Amino acid sequence: MQPQRNKGLAFIMNVIPGLGHYYWGRRGRALLYPLMFFGILMGGFILAFGTGEEGPLILGIFVALLIWGISMIDLLVALLRYTPTIVIHDEYGRPMTVPLDKSEDSERFYTILLSFIPGLGHFQLGLMQRGLSFLISFFGLATILMFLTGLTNESVFLVFFGMLPIIWLYCMFDVVQLVHRKQAGEFIQDRTLFEELESGRDESRRSKVFATLLSAFPGAGQMYLGLQKRGFQMMVMFLGSIYVMDVLRLSLFMFLIPLIWFYCFFDGLQQISRYGREPLRDKPVIEGFVNHQRWVGLGLLILGLYFIFTTAVLPYLESMFPEVPISYHIRNYVKTGLVSLLLIGGGIKLMSGSKKEKRREEYPFHESDQ
């Protein structure tokens, strides 16, 4: 007799090929599918590395995804055909196997299965407005990003595709939570995600789970918790660094992007852990920003002039003097000059700041006496 196991959990575990089959007791398939999936991926990678061509790797990825899909469909068919049973005894004490009524388990399984497409699981529960908000948020964001990328030919918009798995994960978590509440006998109100966020704001409370998901995008989790200044500065630091490095082609400083992301993400986790236990302080990352507005404005002005020069003036000069490699020399010299000024200015600022701090430590009451 097949032991009683959770269908939805088996299907979710099988996202890693073979793991769902192992949980369901299908040991042969649990060994076959991961060997084929990871073996083909590794073979394609080795062939691509040995030949120096991308063809074997692309083919290996395609075949591995095909095997992954077959594994998911195979498990899905087994889960749909499975009828749970239970052993009872008749009036003479003889054991009898009868089908078990698992309507709640079937509802949970089908709801989680449908929720792999954001919004459909909520439709299964009868929550039309909530499901529609998830559906529009996911596919609307994807459509807008693809439209902007194709219209502007700027790959920087592809960074925002990282928001899609965040929406998908939150939708899955929300569906599982709602289906358990419904089966527990609670009344589930059909309201959109935005209405729930507004109600939470009115009651002066925030969802820690939603804040954690938002923290995957730098600054969003902090702004959701009410730390507007801190979150806005983190968002500007992350997106501004990507934009500046893309415009100036500063591949040397690309290591700063993951550093900024990790700093913002773990800062968001720290703020979430403090939320509800102690008051949160909206402390900016860069304090005294008002005192540095002139330098920030000067930097933006220089970047704007550089962008206008490279996109409007430089093509005109090249058309007038086609025999002179103006673009090559100017782009290299200007880029080198901007990076040099940035490094020198930052170094001078840090040195002057350290001297001021040291002077304050030596004479802490000097300024107050004056």
Side-chain angles (χ1 to χ4, degrees):
M1 183 182 66
Q2 174 75 39
Q4 305 299 332
R5 295 189 175 96
N6 190 292
K7 293 182 178 180
L9 180 60
F11 188 78
I12 293 175
M13 290 176 64
N14 204 53
V15 172
I16 300 176
L19 194 58
H21 293 277
Y22 181 81
Y23 173 76
W24 201 249
R26 312 174 82 192
R27 304 300 172 86
R29 288 176 170 82
L31 180 63
L32 178 64
Y33 283 122
L35 284 178
M36 294 175 63
F37 179 82
F38 293 106
I40 290 175
L41 273 182
M42 185 62 67
F45 178 78
I46 293 174
L47 289 176
F49 181 77
T51 59
E53 299 179 356
E54 298 180 355
L57 181 59
I58 297 175
L59 181 61
I61 293 175
F62 175 77
V63 176
L65 289 177
L66 182 63
I67 293 173
W68 181 85
I70 294 174
S71 172
M72 295 295 289
I73 294 174
D74 184 21
L75 181 62
L76 179 61
V77 171
L79 295 178
L80 293 176
R81 288 180 176 178
Y82 172 68
T83 302
T85 57
I86 187 173
V87 178
I88 62 174
H89 296 79
D90 60 8
E91 57 184 356
Y92 300 104
R94 292 175 297 187
M96 297 177 55
T97 302
V98 297
L100 181 65
D101 184 14
K102 297 287 287 182
S103 57
E104 291 187 355
D105 184 67
S106 299
E107 181 186 23
R108 187 186 307 113
F109 171 68
Y110 287 120
T111 302
I112 295 175
L113 179 64
L114 287 172
S115 64
F116 272 79
I117 299 178
L120 296 189
H122 295 86
F123 292 159
Q124 171 72 14
L125 295 175
L127 307 175
M128 305 303 293
Q129 297 183 20
R130 195 172 185 83
L132 191 62
S133 65
F134 277 108
L135 191 67
I136 294 176
S137 299
F138 186 85
F139 291 101
L141 178 61
T143 303
I144 291 174
L145 292 179
M146 288 188 292
F147 173 76
L148 290 176
T149 304
L151 183 65
T152 61
N153 293 324
E154 293 287 343
S155 59
V156 68
F157 291 104
L158 298 178
V159 176
F160 292 96
F161 272 97
M163 295 294 293
L164 296 180
I166 297 175
I167 297 175
W168 184 82
L169 285 174
Y170 185 76
C171 179
M172 289 288 295
F173 177 83
D174 188 68
V175 163
V176 173
Q177 189 179 30
L178 289 174
V179 73
H180 281 89
R181 289 173 55 188
K182 180 181 179 182
Q183 292 179 355
E186 296 184 25
F187 174 74
I188 302 176
Q189 185 178 358
D190 184 14
R191 58 183 181 182
T192 65
L193 177 63
F194 310 103
E195 291 176 349
E196 183 170 329
L197 293 178
E198 287 295 329
S199 64
R201 183 178 302 175
D202 295 338
E203 298 172 5
S204 299
R205 58 181 177 84
R206 303 288 192 275
S207 171
K208 290 188 176 182
V209 175
F210 190 64
T212 304
L213 294 175
L214 286 178
S215 296
F217 190 85
Q222 287 84 350
M223 295 181 72
Y224 173 70
L225 293 176
L227 308 177
Q228 304 297 326
K229 297 178 181 178
R230 190 173 185 85
F232 179 74
Q233 283 193 3
M234 288 183 172
M235 197 172 292
V236 170
M237 285 169 54
F238 182 73
L239 299 178
S241 300
I242 295 175
Y243 178 76
V244 171
M245 292 179 188
D246 181 67
V247 170
L248 300 180
R249 302 293 190 269
L250 301 178
S251 58
L252 179 65
F253 297 96
M254 288 301 293
F255 72 94
L256 292 176
I257 302 300
L259 290 180
I260 294 174
W261 185 89
F262 276 109
Y263 174 79
C264 297
F265 179 70
F266 285 107
D267 181 79
L269 295 183
Q270 286 183 347
Q271 302 297 337
I272 293 168
S273 64
R274 296 171 184 168
Y275 179 72
R277 296 190 296 108
E278 57 183 88
L280 301 181
R281 293 177 55 195
D282 191 8
K283 183 180 179 181
V285 180
I286 303 175
E287 296 186 7
F289 180 77
V290 179
N291 301 328
H292 302 86
Q293 283 186 352
R294 293 184 179 179
W295 294 104
V296 175
L298 180 61
L300 293 176
L301 180 61
I302 293 174
L303 287 177
L305 293 175
Y306 172 78
F307 189 72
I308 293 175
F309 180 78
T310 55
T311 56
V313 179
L314 194 57
Y316 178 73
L317 293 176
E318 289 180 339
S319 63
M320 293 181 61
F321 307 98
E323 67 281 357
V324 181
I326 300 175
S327 177
Y328 175 78
H329 292 293
I330 291 181
R331 289 180 188 274
N332 286 331
Y333 292 150
V334 171
K335 184 192 302 184
T336 304
L338 287 176
V339 175
S340 301
L341 288 175
L342 180 63
L343 294 176
I344 294 172
I348 294 174
K349 181 65 177 176
L350 290 176
M351 291 175 62
S352 62
S354 63
K355 290 180 180 180
K356 291 180 180 179
E357 291 295 331
K358 186 176 181 180
R359 191 179 299 115
R360 288 178 183 175
E361 292 178 359
E362 294 178 352
Y363 306 101
F365 302 105
H366 180 69
E367 296 179 0
S368 61
D369 292 341
Q370 292 179 351

